[in-house]
Amino acid sequence: MKDSAEVLIGDKLRELPNLRQVHLIRSELFASLSEAGFEVAAGELGENITTAGLDLELLPLGTLIQLGPAAIVELTGLRTPCVLIDRFRTGLKRQVLSSAETGPPFKSGVLGVVRAGGPVAAGDTARILLPSTSARALPAL
């Protein structure tokens, strides 16, 4: 997996981080989609990690999530649903757009970067470490 992109700015080559290294989705989304008539299983929306009991989209920018004993992912943004989601299941994109005037605009998971590697297995605990300095909402990526 490529973890950065090279961009030519002026006469200088600069590396930009890949803010989309890991895609996490709440398992509760699949139950909600099922109630709306969409059968979608874990992994079918491209996520790498499925969590339970965490309001991922409400966590602030820079939140660290420890997965298993050592892996750490830093949240960088909300996953913006694209046209491909409707190609997968017609009408699905509308289901992952939030109708609430407050809160995140999307319910299609969050994206992050790996800060520490390590083994992650089904059933591992996810531990949330909130940032100490910022409470900024996750931007759309």
Side-chain angles (χ1 to χ4, degrees):
M1 173 184 311
K2 191 168 184 158
D3 59 352
S4 67
E6 292 182 348
V7 177
L8 188 61
I9 299 176
D11 290 333
K12 297 184 178 186
L13 190 61
R14 189 174 118 203
E15 265 195 36
L16 298 176
N18 176 1
L19 301 178
R20 302 170 142 251
Q21 292 175 358
V22 181
H23 178 200
L24 301 93
I25 284 186
R26 304 178 311 118
S27 63
E28 293 84 358
L29 175 64
F30 302 117
S32 170
L33 293 174
S34 180
E35 289 173 10
F38 295 90
E39 294 304 319
V40 180
E44 290 186 328
L45 294 179
E47 72 278 11
N48 310 97
I49 304 286
T50 305
T51 66
L54 300 175
D55 287 327
L56 294 170
E57 292 91 353
L58 297 177
L59 293 170
L61 180 66
T63 295
L64 300 177
I65 301 179
Q66 180 178 340
L67 301 165
I72 297 177
V73 172
E74 179 181 345
L75 298 187
T76 56
L78 296 171
R79 179 191 180 201
T80 304
C82 69
V83 68
L84 295 178
I85 202 166
D86 268 343
R87 289 185 192 156
F88 174 64
R89 298 273 194 283
T90 301
L92 186 58
K93 183 175 179 180
R94 185 177 9 202
Q95 295 299 314
V96 296
L97 297 176
S98 178
S99 59
E101 290 187 23
T102 60
F106 313 116
K107 302 178 282 187
S108 51
V110 296
L111 299 164
V113 295
V114 175
R115 292 297 179 213
V120 178
D124 278 352
T125 299
R127 184 172 162 236
I128 302 298
L129 306 163
L130 296 172
S132 59
T133 58
S134 170
R136 289 182 32 215
L138 291 168
L141 293 180

PDB file of all heavy atoms in Angstrom, residues 101-140:
ATOM      1  N   GLU A 101     -29.524  17.760  10.383  1.00  0.00           N
ATOM      2  CA  GLU A 101     -28.907  19.067  10.167  1.00  0.00           C
ATOM      3  C   GLU A 101     -27.673  19.246  11.040  1.00  0.00           C
ATOM      4  O   GLU A 101     -26.835  20.088  10.767  1.00  0.00           O
ATOM      5  CB  GLU A 101     -29.919  20.171  10.424  1.00  0.00           C
ATOM      6  CG  GLU A 101     -31.004  20.215   9.362  1.00  0.00           C
ATOM      7  CD  GLU A 101     -31.917  21.400   9.513  1.00  0.00           C
ATOM      8  OE1 GLU A 101     -31.515  22.413  10.113  1.00  0.00           O
ATOM      9  OE2 GLU A 101     -33.051  21.304   9.019  1.00  0.00           O
ATOM     10  N   THR A 102     -27.595  18.486  12.092  1.00  0.00           N
ATOM     11  CA  THR A 102     -26.410  18.518  12.945  1.00  0.00           C
ATOM     12  C   THR A 102     -25.718  17.168  12.831  1.00  0.00           C
ATOM     13  O   THR A 102     -26.344  16.175  12.494  1.00  0.00           O
ATOM     14  CB  THR A 102     -26.776  18.786  14.420  1.00  0.00           C
ATOM     15  OG1 THR A 102     -27.651  17.744  14.861  1.00  0.00           O
ATOM     16  CG2 THR A 102     -27.463  20.120  14.577  1.00  0.00           C
ATOM     17  N   GLY A 103     -24.455  17.156  13.097  1.00  0.00           N
ATOM     18  CA  GLY A 103     -23.713  15.901  13.006  1.00  0.00           C
ATOM     19  C   GLY A 103     -23.057  15.741  11.659  1.00  0.00           C
ATOM     20  O   GLY A 103     -23.112  16.627  10.807  1.00  0.00           O
ATOM     21  N   PRO A 104     -22.435  14.602  11.446  1.00  0.00           N
ATOM     22  CA  PRO A 104     -21.672  14.379  10.206  1.00  0.00           C
ATOM     23  C   PRO A 104     -22.592  14.235   8.995  1.00  0.00           C
ATOM     24  O   PRO A 104     -23.700  13.723   9.111  1.00  0.00           O
ATOM     25  CB  PRO A 104     -20.914  13.087  10.488  1.00  0.00           C
ATOM     26  CG  PRO A 104     -21.718  12.395  11.528  1.00  0.00           C
ATOM     27  CD  PRO A 104     -22.374  13.465  12.352  1.00  0.00           C
ATOM     28  N   PRO A 105     -22.123  14.681   7.819  1.00  0.00           N
ATOM     29  CA  PRO A 105     -22.945  14.598   6.614  1.00  0.00           C
ATOM     30  C   PRO A 105     -23.030  13.196   6.010  1.00  0.00           C
ATOM     31  O   PRO A 105     -23.888  12.938   5.184  1.00  0.00           O
ATOM     32  CB  PRO A 105     -22.249  15.551   5.642  1.00  0.00           C
ATOM     33  CG  PRO A 105     -20.827  15.591   6.108  1.00  0.00           C
ATOM     34  CD  PRO A 105     -20.869  15.389   7.595  1.00  0.00           C
ATOM     35  N   PHE A 106     -22.127  12.302   6.432  1.00  0.00           N
ATOM     36  CA  PHE A 106     -22.094  10.949   5.869  1.00  0.00           C
ATOM     37  C   PHE A 106     -22.075   9.909   6.983  1.00  0.00           C
ATOM     38  O   PHE A 106     -21.552  10.151   8.064  1.00  0.00           O
ATOM     39  CB  PHE A 106     -20.846  10.742   4.999  1.00  0.00           C
ATOM     40  CG  PHE A 106     -20.586  11.859   4.036  1.00  0.00           C
ATOM     41  CD1 PHE A 106     -19.442  12.626   4.150  1.00  0.00           C
ATOM     42  CD2 PHE A 106     -21.473  12.148   3.028  1.00  0.00           C
ATOM     43  CE1 PHE A 106     -19.189  13.667   3.274  1.00  0.00           C
ATOM     44  CE2 PHE A 106     -21.237  13.181   2.138  1.00  0.00           C
ATOM     45  CZ  PHE A 106     -20.090  13.939   2.271  1.00  0.00           C
ATOM     46  N   LYS A 107     -22.614   8.724   6.665  1.00  0.00           N
ATOM     47  CA  LYS A 107     -22.596   7.596   7.594  1.00  0.00           C
ATOM     48  C   LYS A 107     -21.842   6.419   6.993  1.00  0.00           C
ATOM     49  O   LYS A 107     -22.137   5.276   7.296  1.00  0.00           O
ATOM     50  CB  LYS A 107     -24.024   7.176   7.929  1.00  0.00           C
ATOM     51  CG  LYS A 107     -24.886   8.271   8.531  1.00  0.00           C
ATOM     52  CD  LYS A 107     -26.292   7.795   8.797  1.00  0.00           C
ATOM     53  CE  LYS A 107     -27.080   7.773   7.513  1.00  0.00           C
ATOM     54  NZ  LYS A 107     -28.504   7.480   7.680  1.00  0.00           N
ATOM     55  N   SER A 108     -20.875   6.708   6.128  1.00  0.00           N
ATOM     56  CA  SER A 108     -20.182   5.630   5.412  1.00  0.00           C
ATOM     57  C   SER A 108     -18.795   5.345   5.978  1.00  0.00           C
ATOM     58  O   SER A 108     -17.932   4.844   5.282  1.00  0.00           O
ATOM     59  CB  SER A 108     -20.102   5.951   3.924  1.00  0.00           C
ATOM     60  OG  SER A 108     -19.585   7.246   3.713  1.00  0.00           O
ATOM     61  N   GLY A 109     -18.579   5.675   7.246  1.00  0.00           N
ATOM     62  CA  GLY A 109     -17.327   5.333   7.899  1.00  0.00           C
ATOM     63  C   GLY A 109     -16.338   6.480   7.943  1.00  0.00           C
ATOM     64  O   GLY A 109     -16.627   7.602   7.544  1.00  0.00           O
ATOM     65  N   VAL A 110     -15.177   6.148   8.468  1.00  0.00           N
ATOM     66  CA  VAL A 110     -14.104   7.126   8.639  1.00  0.00           C
ATOM     67  C   VAL A 110     -12.824   6.575   8.028  1.00  0.00           C
ATOM     68  O   VAL A 110     -12.691   5.372   7.810  1.00  0.00           O
ATOM     69  CB  VAL A 110     -13.882   7.471  10.134  1.00  0.00           C
ATOM     70  CG1 VAL A 110     -15.111   8.133  10.720  1.00  0.00           C
ATOM     71  CG2 VAL A 110     -13.498   6.243  10.948  1.00  0.00           C
ATOM     72  N   LEU A 111     -11.893   7.484   7.783  1.00  0.00           N
ATOM     73  CA  LEU A 111     -10.609   7.114   7.198  1.00  0.00           C
ATOM     74  C   LEU A 111      -9.502   7.503   8.161  1.00  0.00           C
ATOM     75  O   LEU A 111      -9.667   8.415   8.980  1.00  0.00           O
ATOM     76  CB  LEU A 111     -10.425   7.829   5.860  1.00  0.00           C
ATOM     77  CG  LEU A 111     -11.481   7.474   4.820  1.00  0.00           C
ATOM     78  CD1 LEU A 111     -11.470   8.477   3.681  1.00  0.00           C
ATOM     79  CD2 LEU A 111     -11.269   6.067   4.309  1.00  0.00           C
ATOM     80  N   GLY A 112      -8.394   6.809   8.056  1.00  0.00           N
ATOM     81  CA  GLY A 112      -7.285   7.109   8.946  1.00  0.00           C
ATOM     82  C   GLY A 112      -5.956   6.671   8.377  1.00  0.00           C
ATOM     83  O   GLY A 112      -5.882   6.048   7.310  1.00  0.00           O
ATOM     84  N   VAL A 113      -4.919   7.025   9.124  1.00  0.00           N
ATOM     85  CA  VAL A 113      -3.556   6.629   8.777  1.00  0.00           C
ATOM     86  C   VAL A 113      -3.007   5.744   9.884  1.00  0.00           C
ATOM     87  O   VAL A 113      -3.359   5.894  11.056  1.00  0.00           O
ATOM     88  CB  VAL A 113      -2.630   7.849   8.563  1.00  0.00           C
ATOM     89  CG1 VAL A 113      -3.076   8.656   7.359  1.00  0.00           C
ATOM     90  CG2 VAL A 113      -2.562   8.723   9.784  1.00  0.00           C
ATOM     91  N   VAL A 114      -2.148   4.822   9.509  1.00  0.00           N
ATOM     92  CA  VAL A 114      -1.536   3.916  10.478  1.00  0.00           C
ATOM     93  C   VAL A 114      -0.411   4.655  11.191  1.00  0.00           C
ATOM     94  O   VAL A 114       0.509   5.161  10.559  1.00  0.00           O
ATOM     95  CB  VAL A 114      -0.982   2.656   9.774  1.00  0.00           C
ATOM     96  CG1 VAL A 114      -0.240   1.764  10.767  1.00  0.00           C
ATOM     97  CG2 VAL A 114      -2.107   1.896   9.085  1.00  0.00           C
ATOM     98  N   ARG A 115      -0.494   4.713  12.508  1.00  0.00           N
ATOM     99  CA  ARG A 115       0.558   5.330  13.316  1.00  0.00           C
ATOM    100  C   ARG A 115       1.457   4.279  13.953  1.00  0.00           C
ATOM    101  O   ARG A 115       2.605   4.541  14.247  1.00  0.00           O
ATOM    102  CB  ARG A 115      -0.034   6.238  14.392  1.00  0.00           C
ATOM    103  CG  ARG A 115      -0.700   7.478  13.842  1.00  0.00           C
ATOM    104  CD  ARG A 115       0.315   8.337  13.140  1.00  0.00           C
ATOM    105  NE  ARG A 115      -0.298   9.540  12.578  1.00  0.00           N
ATOM    106  CZ  ARG A 115       0.102  10.109  11.478  1.00  0.00           C
ATOM    107  NH1 ARG A 115       1.114   9.600  10.795  1.00  0.00           N
ATOM    108  NH2 ARG A 115      -0.488  11.188  11.031  1.00  0.00           N
ATOM    109  N   ALA A 116       0.914   3.087  14.154  1.00  0.00           N
ATOM    110  CA  ALA A 116       1.713   1.964  14.677  1.00  0.00           C
ATOM    111  C   ALA A 116       1.108   0.678  14.133  1.00  0.00           C
ATOM    112  O   ALA A 116      -0.101   0.500  14.171  1.00  0.00           O
ATOM    113  CB  ALA A 116       1.709   1.954  16.209  1.00  0.00           C
ATOM    114  N   GLY A 117       1.953  -0.176  13.607  1.00  0.00           N
ATOM    115  CA  GLY A 117       1.492  -1.440  13.064  1.00  0.00           C
ATOM    116  C   GLY A 117       1.372  -2.501  14.143  1.00  0.00           C
ATOM    117  O   GLY A 117       1.865  -2.336  15.257  1.00  0.00           O
ATOM    118  N   GLY A 118       0.703  -3.556  13.806  1.00  0.00           N
ATOM    119  CA  GLY A 118       0.571  -4.678  14.721  1.00  0.00           C
ATOM    120  C   GLY A 118      -0.546  -5.585  14.271  1.00  0.00           C
ATOM    121  O   GLY A 118      -1.342  -5.222  13.404  1.00  0.00           O
ATOM    122  N   PRO A 119      -0.611  -6.767  14.854  1.00  0.00           N
ATOM    123  CA  PRO A 119      -1.665  -7.712  14.459  1.00  0.00           C
ATOM    124  C   PRO A 119      -3.039  -7.238  14.925  1.00  0.00           C
ATOM    125  O   PRO A 119      -3.173  -6.677  16.017  1.00  0.00           O
ATOM    126  CB  PRO A 119      -1.263  -9.003  15.187  1.00  0.00           C
ATOM    127  CG  PRO A 119      -0.445  -8.548  16.351  1.00  0.00           C
ATOM    128  CD  PRO A 119       0.249  -7.294  15.915  1.00  0.00           C
ATOM    129  N   VAL A 120      -4.041  -7.441  14.064  1.00  0.00           N
ATOM    130  CA  VAL A 120      -5.430  -7.122  14.385  1.00  0.00           C
ATOM    131  C   VAL A 120      -6.254  -8.324  13.960  1.00  0.00           C
ATOM    132  O   VAL A 120      -6.103  -8.815  12.844  1.00  0.00           O
ATOM    133  CB  VAL A 120      -5.912  -5.852  13.638  1.00  0.00           C
ATOM    134  CG1 VAL A 120      -7.372  -5.562  13.948  1.00  0.00           C
ATOM    135  CG2 VAL A 120      -5.038  -4.651  13.985  1.00  0.00           C
ATOM    136  N   ALA A 121      -7.116  -8.787  14.857  1.00  0.00           N
ATOM    137  CA  ALA A 121      -7.931  -9.963  14.570  1.00  0.00           C
ATOM    138  C   ALA A 121      -9.382  -9.690  14.946  1.00  0.00           C
ATOM    139  O   ALA A 121      -9.669  -8.821  15.780  1.00  0.00           O
ATOM    140  CB  ALA A 121      -7.404 -11.172  15.353  1.00  0.00           C
ATOM    141  N   ALA A 122     -10.289 -10.432  14.328  1.00  0.00           N
ATOM    142  CA  ALA A 122     -11.709 -10.319  14.657  1.00  0.00           C
ATOM    143  C   ALA A 122     -11.891 -10.504  16.159  1.00  0.00           C
ATOM    144  O   ALA A 122     -11.273 -11.373  16.767  1.00  0.00           O
ATOM    145  CB  ALA A 122     -12.503 -11.372  13.892  1.00  0.00           C
ATOM    146  N   GLY A 123     -12.698  -9.647  16.749  1.00  0.00           N
ATOM    147  CA  GLY A 123     -12.964  -9.729  18.178  1.00  0.00           C
ATOM    148  C   GLY A 123     -12.020  -8.899  19.034  1.00  0.00           C
ATOM    149  O   GLY A 123     -12.234  -8.763  20.243  1.00  0.00           O
ATOM    150  N   ASP A 124     -10.968  -8.329  18.434  1.00  0.00           N
ATOM    151  CA  ASP A 124     -10.054  -7.474  19.197  1.00  0.00           C
ATOM    152  C   ASP A 124     -10.789  -6.237  19.716  1.00  0.00           C
ATOM    153  O   ASP A 124     -11.729  -5.756  19.088  1.00  0.00           O
ATOM    154  CB  ASP A 124      -8.879  -7.011  18.333  1.00  0.00           C
ATOM    155  CG  ASP A 124      -7.773  -8.036  18.230  1.00  0.00           C
ATOM    156  OD1 ASP A 124      -7.822  -9.060  18.947  1.00  0.00           O
ATOM    157  OD2 ASP A 124      -6.851  -7.811  17.427  1.00  0.00           O
ATOM    158  N   THR A 125     -10.315  -5.717  20.805  1.00  0.00           N
ATOM    159  CA  THR A 125     -10.866  -4.502  21.389  1.00  0.00           C
ATOM    160  C   THR A 125     -10.323  -3.283  20.657  1.00  0.00           C
ATOM    161  O   THR A 125      -9.156  -3.249  20.275  1.00  0.00           O
ATOM    162  CB  THR A 125     -10.481  -4.416  22.886  1.00  0.00           C
ATOM    163  OG1 THR A 125     -11.037  -5.547  23.550  1.00  0.00           O
ATOM    164  CG2 THR A 125     -10.991  -3.146  23.524  1.00  0.00           C
ATOM    165  N   ALA A 126     -11.191  -2.286  20.473  1.00  0.00           N
ATOM    166  CA  ALA A 126     -10.781  -0.993  19.931  1.00  0.00           C
ATOM    167  C   ALA A 126     -10.837   0.008  21.080  1.00  0.00           C
ATOM    168  O   ALA A 126     -11.871   0.172  21.717  1.00  0.00           O
ATOM    169  CB  ALA A 126     -11.709  -0.562  18.802  1.00  0.00           C
ATOM    170  N   ARG A 127      -9.718   0.656  21.345  1.00  0.00           N
ATOM    171  CA  ARG A 127      -9.611   1.622  22.446  1.00  0.00           C
ATOM    172  C   ARG A 127      -9.469   3.019  21.845  1.00  0.00           C
ATOM    173  O   ARG A 127      -8.586   3.252  21.019  1.00  0.00           O
ATOM    174  CB  ARG A 127      -8.413   1.270  23.308  1.00  0.00           C
ATOM    175  CG  ARG A 127      -8.263   2.138  24.513  1.00  0.00           C
ATOM    176  CD  ARG A 127      -7.152   1.580  25.426  1.00  0.00           C
ATOM    177  NE  ARG A 127      -6.742   2.632  26.310  1.00  0.00           N
ATOM    178  CZ  ARG A 127      -5.504   3.081  26.444  1.00  0.00           C
ATOM    179  NH1 ARG A 127      -4.527   2.511  25.770  1.00  0.00           N
ATOM    180  NH2 ARG A 127      -5.229   4.055  27.253  1.00  0.00           N
ATOM    181  N   ILE A 128     -10.328   3.942  22.278  1.00  0.00           N
ATOM    182  CA  ILE A 128     -10.334   5.308  21.753  1.00  0.00           C
ATOM    183  C   ILE A 128      -9.446   6.201  22.615  1.00  0.00           C
ATOM    184  O   ILE A 128      -9.563   6.222  23.838  1.00  0.00           O
ATOM    185  CB  ILE A 128     -11.767   5.887  21.758  1.00  0.00           C
ATOM    186  CG1 ILE A 128     -12.710   5.012  20.939  1.00  0.00           C
ATOM    187  CG2 ILE A 128     -11.787   7.333  21.284  1.00  0.00           C
ATOM    188  CD1 ILE A 128     -12.364   4.902  19.497  1.00  0.00           C
ATOM    189  N   LEU A 129      -8.560   6.956  21.953  1.00  0.00           N
ATOM    190  CA  LEU A 129      -7.702   7.939  22.613  1.00  0.00           C
ATOM    191  C   LEU A 129      -7.996   9.285  21.963  1.00  0.00           C
ATOM    192  O   LEU A 129      -7.559   9.550  20.835  1.00  0.00           O
ATOM    193  CB  LEU A 129      -6.229   7.566  22.454  1.00  0.00           C
ATOM    194  CG  LEU A 129      -5.862   6.154  22.921  1.00  0.00           C
ATOM    195  CD1 LEU A 129      -4.526   5.723  22.366  1.00  0.00           C
ATOM    196  CD2 LEU A 129      -5.858   6.116  24.431  1.00  0.00           C
ATOM    197  N   LEU A 130      -8.757  10.142  22.662  1.00  0.00           N
ATOM    198  CA  LEU A 130      -9.150  11.431  22.105  1.00  0.00           C
ATOM    199  C   LEU A 130      -7.978  12.393  22.090  1.00  0.00           C
ATOM    200  O   LEU A 130      -7.128  12.360  22.991  1.00  0.00           O
ATOM    201  CB  LEU A 130     -10.307  12.025  22.911  1.00  0.00           C
ATOM    202  CG  LEU A 130     -11.601  11.221  22.870  1.00  0.00           C
ATOM    203  CD1 LEU A 130     -12.610  11.796  23.859  1.00  0.00           C
ATOM    204  CD2 LEU A 130     -12.178  11.190  21.472  1.00  0.00           C
ATOM    205  N   PRO A 131      -7.931  13.275  21.095  1.00  0.00           N
ATOM    206  CA  PRO A 131      -6.842  14.256  21.048  1.00  0.00           C
ATOM    207  C   PRO A 131      -6.978  15.239  22.218  1.00  0.00           C
ATOM    208  O   PRO A 131      -8.085  15.583  22.630  1.00  0.00           O
ATOM    209  CB  PRO A 131      -7.036  14.953  19.705  1.00  0.00           C
ATOM    210  CG  PRO A 131      -8.450  14.708  19.328  1.00  0.00           C
ATOM    211  CD  PRO A 131      -8.851  13.422  19.989  1.00  0.00           C
ATOM    212  N   SER A 132      -5.847  15.691  22.739  1.00  0.00           N
ATOM    213  CA  SER A 132      -5.882  16.580  23.904  1.00  0.00           C
ATOM    214  C   SER A 132      -6.087  18.041  23.516  1.00  0.00           C
ATOM    215  O   SER A 132      -6.513  18.842  24.344  1.00  0.00           O
ATOM    216  CB  SER A 132      -4.578  16.435  24.705  1.00  0.00           C
ATOM    217  OG  SER A 132      -3.481  16.759  23.886  1.00  0.00           O
ATOM    218  N   THR A 133      -5.813  18.406  22.277  1.00  0.00           N
ATOM    219  CA  THR A 133      -5.835  19.811  21.918  1.00  0.00           C
ATOM    220  C   THR A 133      -6.948  20.218  20.962  1.00  0.00           C
ATOM    221  O   THR A 133      -7.250  21.376  20.859  1.00  0.00           O
ATOM    222  CB  THR A 133      -4.496  20.226  21.256  1.00  0.00           C
ATOM    223  OG1 THR A 133      -4.296  19.390  20.111  1.00  0.00           O
ATOM    224  CG2 THR A 133      -3.343  20.074  22.219  1.00  0.00           C
ATOM    225  N   SER A 134      -7.566  19.307  20.278  1.00  0.00           N
ATOM    226  CA  SER A 134      -8.526  19.682  19.239  1.00  0.00           C
ATOM    227  C   SER A 134      -9.823  18.919  19.390  1.00  0.00           C
ATOM    228  O   SER A 134      -9.835  17.751  19.738  1.00  0.00           O
ATOM    229  CB  SER A 134      -7.923  19.398  17.867  1.00  0.00           C
ATOM    230  OG  SER A 134      -8.907  19.542  16.878  1.00  0.00           O
ATOM    231  N   ALA A 135     -10.901  19.599  19.097  1.00  0.00           N
ATOM    232  CA  ALA A 135     -12.200  18.933  19.042  1.00  0.00           C
ATOM    233  C   ALA A 135     -12.839  19.224  17.693  1.00  0.00           C
ATOM    234  O   ALA A 135     -14.046  19.306  17.580  1.00  0.00           O
ATOM    235  CB  ALA A 135     -13.079  19.401  20.196  1.00  0.00           C
ATOM    236  N   ARG A 136     -12.003  19.393  16.665  1.00  0.00           N
ATOM    237  CA  ARG A 136     -12.519  19.666  15.327  1.00  0.00           C
ATOM    238  C   ARG A 136     -13.199  18.430  14.743  1.00  0.00           C
ATOM    239  O   ARG A 136     -12.700  17.320  14.891  1.00  0.00           O
ATOM    240  CB  ARG A 136     -11.373  20.104  14.406  1.00  0.00           C
ATOM    241  CG  ARG A 136     -10.846  21.489  14.750  1.00  0.00           C
ATOM    242  CD  ARG A 136      -9.744  21.969  13.838  1.00  0.00           C
ATOM    243  NE  ARG A 136      -9.827  21.487  12.471  1.00  0.00           N
ATOM    244  CZ  ARG A 136      -8.769  21.193  11.728  1.00  0.00           C
ATOM    245  NH1 ARG A 136      -7.555  21.294  12.213  1.00  0.00           N
ATOM    246  NH2 ARG A 136      -8.920  20.776  10.494  1.00  0.00           N
ATOM    247  N   ALA A 137     -14.302  18.661  14.079  1.00  0.00           N
ATOM    248  CA  ALA A 137     -15.011  17.564  13.425  1.00  0.00           C
ATOM    249  C   ALA A 137     -14.162  16.999  12.289  1.00  0.00           C
ATOM    250  O   ALA A 137     -13.335  17.699  11.703  1.00  0.00           O
ATOM    251  CB  ALA A 137     -16.344  18.062  12.884  1.00  0.00           C
ATOM    252  N   LEU A 138     -14.382  15.735  11.989  1.00  0.00           N
ATOM    253  CA  LEU A 138     -13.677  15.111  10.874  1.00  0.00           C
ATOM    254  C   LEU A 138     -14.122  15.746   9.555  1.00  0.00           C
ATOM    255  O   LEU A 138     -15.326  15.893   9.306  1.00  0.00           O
ATOM    256  CB  LEU A 138     -13.975  13.606  10.829  1.00  0.00           C
ATOM    257  CG  LEU A 138     -13.397  12.770  11.952  1.00  0.00           C
ATOM    258  CD1 LEU A 138     -14.003  11.375  11.957  1.00  0.00           C
ATOM    259  CD2 LEU A 138     -11.875  12.694  11.831  1.00  0.00           C
ATOM    260  N   PRO A 139     -13.168  16.122   8.701  1.00  0.00           N
ATOM    261  CA  PRO A 139     -13.530  16.681   7.394  1.00  0.00           C
ATOM    262  C   PRO A 139     -13.899  15.565   6.419  1.00  0.00           C
ATOM    263  O   PRO A 139     -13.537  14.404   6.615  1.00  0.00           O
ATOM    264  CB  PRO A 139     -12.249  17.373   6.948  1.00  0.00           C
ATOM    265  CG  PRO A 139     -11.161  16.541   7.574  1.00  0.00           C
ATOM    266  CD  PRO A 139     -11.709  16.100   8.907  1.00  0.00           C
ATOM    267  N   ALA A 140     -14.623  15.905   5.388  1.00  0.00           N
ATOM    268  CA  ALA A 140     -14.937  14.944   4.330  1.00  0.00           C
ATOM    269  C   ALA A 140     -13.681  14.722   3.490  1.00  0.00           C
ATOM    270  O   ALA A 140     -12.981  15.663   3.148  1.00  0.00           O
ATOM    271  CB  ALA A 140     -16.056  15.474   3.461  1.00  0.00           C
TER     272      ALA A 140
END
